[in-house]
Amino acid sequence: IRWYAERDIPVEVNDSHQWSLRNAHDAVAVAAAYIAAYNAKALGVKIYVSQYMLNTPPGTAAAMDIAKMLAKIELIEGLHDAGFTSFREVRTGLRSMPADMNRAKGHLAASVAFGAALAPQIVHVVAYCEAMRAAGAEEIIESCRIARGAIDLALGELPDPAGDERVAVRTKRLVDEAGRIIAAIRGLSRGGGADPLTDPATLSRAVREGILDAPDLAGSGVAPGRVVTAPVDGGYEAIDPATGEALGEEARLRSIIGEIES
């Protein structure tokens, strides 16, 4: 990142959706999006490309997907100043793409159309065939034409998703819960003057201890993978495996921090 920053080259960091691709709950994805942008800014990046991968994990409902991305946008664009700005890039989620080619084309068009509600400057087109095979020139061109049709329709006046009460409530909750995760990471700092959010030792410890965690990292050797997640009302939540109820970050983090301190 520093190498690019020194050469005035825009930077894109895709850490956030790597967590979602491994079934992390939404609060972790939002916190990771902020931490990535925070590090880019700290390393001198002036133009940051913030990629918002939709439909990930696949059980995510469209309204809750928009809420998750609005939470990321609120935190990332809160870092804007005279020396740092970001561009919004939307894309269809890889894991959500159907294997049936006709359904996949519909999925691509719908994803691009509702992603337009985020007012992106960039659309990253995922080829409709990528659930089954690598895209060739023909599929890429066809996918771009499908996306272009969706964009043409979406360029008309769309409703503001932030005006939807469910979206607004979910966005605020995710901003608050991501803030708890970020505060917990800061709390791991052992002093010495390093910023915990840019300190490799602190960030890696946050993963090892499970403050940042995802179910599909079980057995990886880098994270505990203990968190259990599931779709709840269209969003992805950390849940209590005994009850199936959503935990909330206060309860989840209290348990982890209690183990760290004991």
Side-chain angles (χ1 to χ4, degrees), residues 102-125:
N102 289 318
R103 287 184 60 209
K105 291 175 185 179
H107 182 84
L108 169 62
S111 177
V112 171
F114 84 72
L118 297 170
Q121 288 89 11
I122 303 166
V123 175
H124 175 142
V125 179

Side-chain angles (χ1 to χ4, degrees), residues 188 190 205 209 226 253-262:
L188 292 177
R190 293 172 176 167
R205 188 179 178 208
E209 301 286 3
R226 288 181 304 195
L253 293 170
R254 188 190 310 120
S255 172
I256 293 168
I257 292 166
E259 289 181 10
I260 293 171
E261 293 176 346
S262 63

Side-chain angles (χ1 to χ4, degrees), residues 170-194:
R170 178 66 173 170
T171 300
K172 182 181 185 304
R173 181 182 170 194
L174 288 175
V175 168
D176 291 345
E177 293 204 330
R180 292 181 186 276
I181 293 171
I182 292 161
I185 294 171
R186 290 188 186 279
L188 292 177
S189 175
R190 293 172 176 167

